[in-house]
Amino acid sequence: MKAKLIDIIAKATELDKDMVAGLLEIPKNPEMGDYAFPCFQLAKTLHKAPPLIANDVAAQIGDVDILEKLEVKGAYINFFIKKEMFVKAMLETADVENFGSSNKGEGKTICIDYSSPNVAKNFHVGHLRTTIIGNSLYKIYSKLGYKVERINHLGDWGTQFGKLIVAYKTWGNKEDVERDGVAELMRLYVKFHEEADKDDSLNDDARHWFSEMEQGNEEALAIWQWFVDISLKEYKGTYELLGMDFDHFMGESFYRDKTGDVVDRLENAGLLKESEGAKIVDLEEYNMAPCLIMKKDGSTIYATRDLAAILYRKGRWNFEKCLYVTGQEQKLHFAQVFKVIELLGNEWAKDSLVHIPYGLVSLEGAKLSTRSGNIIYAEDILKEAIDKVKEIIVTKNPDLANKDDVARNVGVGAIIFNDLYNQRIKDVSFKWDKVLNFDGETGPYVQYTYCRCASILRNANYDSNANINCSQILDEPAIALLKDINRFPTVVEDAAERYEPSVVARFAMDVAQSFSRFYNADKVLVDDEDIRNARLKLVALTADTLKNSLALLGIDCPEQM
Ligand code: ARG
């Protein structure tokens, strides 16, 4: 329907179709029609008031078979599609499974750099956010046909490892590290700082050991690698609970032999300056603090490795975009790094490198079990959610099969949905009774709506090939539900364009709520076969849309819960 309408408007306005497609809106208020076309753009070329243009264009379009009517409201033309035609087009969409997909991104690659915890540190709730947002962006871009490279840029290199080696050699032992993993490494790290406050020579030792690492000392690298393996094993446990994975675990250490090239390039481009013994790129002209490239002692830093990573990724994947999902506190870091890449003569840096920040997690009011030292591990939150859901299942639906799988899907789904329901830049508040409220604006509510649909279809022995008579479901709640579902393709594109999974989460909630209104108003399993089949088809379309939109958030739907 939309494609037809675009043709009609393009013809009447002599604008090209892509332009019309870009301008066409779906009004929030159904009284404004199914589609609305604003005439402001035309006013620029026609030098006439937009409302006058709207009238002219409307007259030019005249009577069209797919339209019930069109109305001019100010600068807008509102289009009302004939209901039968709309319903028919929607319910007879043969390819329900691919609804919302497109080939917009065909042949293009997007790199997403996300999650990226720091080795020997716990995977905390902030890293949970980048993981959830990054994973959702991966799903959304994939749906649009892009090839996505999911990159975990582990924090696995840097002077902190010199400190850890000293701490381990002085106060640690193998058994404790093997038993307690990251928790023990964190304890050693804290111990190092306590002791170094009293005895500065420890810092020299740490510098020494990191420089040994950089020079390939086998003993140093073996200990470091062991710390990396232990940490990665824990992180992978968290990823497994989340049902998420990466294409590349390429941490900072991957670039340690590639930073020299970056320094050379900067040098050759005349961009490097000495400052108190260190090497920097001056960014004053761009109102930014200088980007530190090399410390006084010749060691490189986080930013140097990020520069190397960008050049490496561009060379390997020739990405259309490279997205970085991290907290807002890294805003300056990325602005500096992107600018330096641009100054090296890479024009593409301007549009292709994007920092995607997000807000904090506030745990106010949430009673979360914490391990020693009041540190909150993402894994503990996920496990707690799963346990709580399991308890609910055991009391409310003791006969359910696969209780553990369902508890995982619903518990983890609840956390993901809570994270993605508001704009990512906003802080996320976390309260168990809100997150797990089966009647609220939550993941479990949407999953439960899906289960209701699935159960209706099961009980009716739904046959997707049965003939349907669309003129039988023209009542308001059914149409409203169809209209919501119809927004899916636009929603996916919008979410990708704004790097904003919340657009999809809101959409899933709208569809779930619309379904409830429909289901309260209209009986599905009526005797009249035509009506029953048409309504069942609508239920099936709802189920698929809910499942597909939750999948874009990284949430699985159980069939029963
Ligand atoms: N390891 C960093 C942190 O935990 C995030 C890394 C983000 N990615 C990057 N290419 N700098 O804060």
Side-chain angles (χ1 to χ4, degrees):
M1 288 291 124
K2 190 177 175 187
K4 280 191 188 153
L5 187 61
I6 289 171
D7 278 348
I8 293 166
I9 299 171
K11 216 151 129 214
T13 56
E14 290 173 16
L15 290 173
D16 77 51
K17 284 188 205 170
D18 286 343
M19 173 86 130
V20 175
L23 292 170
L24 203 60
E25 297 172 9
I26 299 183
K28 288 254 146 38
N29 177 355
E31 281 170 23
M32 303 299 191
D34 301 305
Y35 292 98
F37 184 75
C39 294
F40 304 105
Q41 191 76 22
L42 279 169
K44 286 185 199 151
T45 45
L46 296 177
H47 305 294
K48 256 202 298 192
L52 292 178
I53 299 174
N55 271 314
D56 291 350
V57 174
Q60 180 73 30
I61 292 173
D63 280 343
V64 191
D65 66 343
I66 63 164
L67 293 181
E68 194 174 289
K69 61 174 178 180
L70 48 76
E71 279 175 3
V72 174
K73 276 249 156 68
Y76 282 86
I77 311 174
N78 296 333
F79 297 93
F80 297 78
I81 307 278
K82 271 191 191 137
K83 278 186 189 151
E84 296 95 288
M85 288 222 167
F86 169 66
V87 173
K88 214 167 141 58
M90 286 295 290
L91 289 189
E92 289 174 6
T93 313
D95 199 5
V96 174
E97 220 166 282
N98 288 316
F99 186 52
S101 301
S102 87
N103 54 9
K104 205 177 163 191
E106 221 171 73
K108 295 181 192 150
T109 299
I110 305 274
C111 290
I112 311 183
D113 175 316
Y114 64 109
S115 195
S116 313
N118 297 318
V119 163
K121 298 240 171 76
N122 74 317
F123 191 108
H124 57 71
V125 287
H127 286 123
L128 196 54
R129 287 217 71 193
T130 147
T131 310
I132 290 172
I133 295 168
N135 180 70
S136 177
L137 292 174
Y138 149 65
K139 300 269 181 176
I140 290 168
Y141 275 97
S142 302
K143 183 112 181 142
L144 295 174
Y146 291 89
K147 171 103 177 52
V148 180
E149 301 292 345
R150 296 168 294 175
I151 306 171
N152 196 317
H153 190 82
L154 286 173
D156 62 359
W157 203 250
T159 41
Q160 69 272 30
F161 292 98
K163 296 177 185 173
L164 263 180
I165 292 177
V166 172
Y168 172 69
K169 282 171 150 292
T170 321
W171 307 288
N173 67 71
K174 197 161 181 230
E175 296 72 53
D176 287 353
V177 174
E178 254 154 23
R179 191 188 55 242
D180 294 340
V182 168
E184 172 65 6
L185 296 178
M186 298 225 299
R187 192 190 68 80
L188 287 171
Y189 193 69
V190 171
K191 174 88 176 158
F192 177 90
H193 280 278
E194 282 166 8
E195 298 296 326
D197 279 348
K198 293 178 258 168
D199 174 4
D200 192 40
S201 74
L202 285 168
N203 285 313
D204 296 331
D205 295 347
R207 267 192 290 276
H208 163 75
W209 277 106
F210 180 58
S211 121
E212 288 299 301
M213 275 171 63
E214 293 220 283
Q215 273 148 43
N217 173 317
E218 267 176 39
E219 186 200 354
L221 286 180
I223 302 177
W224 163 79
Q225 186 66 56
W226 180 46
F227 293 164
V228 172
D229 292 344
I230 283 177
S231 307
L232 206 50
K233 197 168 141 227
E234 287 190 25
Y235 304 153
K236 285 191 174 165
T238 305
Y239 295 138
E240 202 175 301
L241 276 180
L242 285 165
M244 296 176 188
D245 204 356
F246 295 84
D247 300 303
H248 314 280
F249 283 90
M250 276 176 160
E252 292 183 47
S253 68
F254 180 80
Y255 303 98
R256 62 186 194 258
D257 63 353
K258 299 176 177 59
T259 49
D261 181 50
V262 171
V263 176
D264 289 348
R265 286 206 209 190
L266 291 170
E267 191 89 71
N268 293 338
L271 290 164
L272 275 192
K273 268 194 186 169
E274 289 265 334
S275 168
E276 294 165 31
K279 293 196 164 138
I280 60 153
V281 176
D282 187 6
L283 297 172
E284 201 181 340
E285 205 180 312
Y286 311 99
N287 292 319
M288 275 186 260
C291 185
L292 179 61
I293 302 292
M294 195 184 259
K295 290 199 229 167
K296 239 190 347 224
D297 62 10
S299 57
T300 55
I301 64 152
Y302 183 53
T304 330
R305 291 185 282 279
D306 257 329
L307 293 169
I310 293 174
L311 297 173
Y312 174 84
R313 291 170 190 172
K314 186 68 185 172
R316 176 161 171 191
W317 293 296
N318 191 23
F319 55 74
E320 165 102 351
K321 282 191 176 164
C322 184
L323 314 179
Y324 293 83
V325 189
T326 79
Q328 301 183 64
E329 69 285 351
Q330 297 199 38
K331 192 172 167 204
L332 174 65
H333 163 75
F334 284 111
Q336 292 171 316
V337 164
F338 297 169
K339 194 60 173 182
V340 172
I341 292 287
E342 190 193 323
L343 292 175
L344 277 172
N346 302 300
E347 269 301 300
W348 48 262
K350 280 189 193 148
D351 301 319
S352 305
L353 302 172
V354 188
H355 177 219
I356 299 178
Y358 54 81
L360 302 169
V361 182
S362 83
L363 295 162
E364 235 179 308
K367 284 205 193 70
L368 294 163
S369 58
T370 57
R371 300 185 197 184
S372 61
N374 256 4
I375 293 157
I376 294 157
Y377 284 66
E379 191 183 5
D380 292 349
I381 297 189
L382 294 170
K383 285 193 172 147
E384 201 160 328
I386 295 169
D387 288 346
K388 284 182 189 291
V389 171
K390 178 97 182 271
E391 263 170 48
I392 301 175
I393 294 175
V394 169
T395 41
K396 293 206 172 159
N397 194 0
D399 299 330
L400 183 71
N402 311 324
K403 286 193 194 61
D404 287 321
D405 287 343
V406 176
R408 194 198 73 84
N409 282 337
V410 176
V412 172
I415 302 243
I416 296 177
F417 198 88
N418 181 61
D419 195 301
L420 297 179
Y421 194 54
N422 292 307
Q423 284 174 31
R424 64 178 152 72
I425 204 68
K426 297 211 173 128
D427 292 348
V428 169
S429 76
F430 194 95
K431 290 207 177 81
W432 282 122
D433 47 353
K434 197 185 101 201
V435 173
L436 292 177
N437 180 356
F438 283 52
D439 299 315
E441 296 181 4
T442 62
Y445 172 77
V446 181
Q447 285 170 318
Y448 184 64
T449 309
Y450 171 81
C451 289
R452 278 167 82 191
C453 295
S455 121
I456 296 167
L457 297 172
R458 266 196 313 274
N459 293 338
N461 282 323
Y462 170 65
D463 168 12
S464 58
N465 294 317
N467 274 333
I468 55 167
N469 180 346
C470 294
S471 62
Q472 297 299 331
I473 60 163
L474 297 177
D475 53 290
E476 201 37 50
I479 300 265
L481 173 57
L482 271 176
K483 279 190 179 168
D484 267 329
I485 293 173
N486 184 35
R487 283 173 24 228
F488 193 38
T490 329
V491 159
V492 181
E493 286 192 12
D494 191 27
E497 216 159 279
R498 291 160 48 199
Y499 317 111
E500 191 59 87
S502 65
V503 174
V504 177
R506 297 268 155 180
F507 166 79
M509 182 55 64
D510 287 346
V511 172
Q513 287 173 341
S514 270
F515 176 79
S516 289
R517 278 192 293 276
F518 158 74
Y519 195 61
N520 287 336
D522 293 334
K523 197 163 177 253
V524 174
L525 299 181
V526 290
D527 290 336
D528 183 311
E529 205 165 308
D530 273 353
I531 299 183
R532 187 172 66 231
N533 284 339
R535 287 190 179 152
L536 279 172
K537 183 102 193 190
L538 178 53
V539 175
L541 186 57
T542 307
D544 278 317
T545 307
L546 289 175
K547 190 175 188 156
N548 290 338
S549 49
L550 287 182
L552 293 183
L553 305 176
I555 301 175
D556 286 331
C557 274
E559 294 297 311
Q560 277 172 291
M561 63 191 259

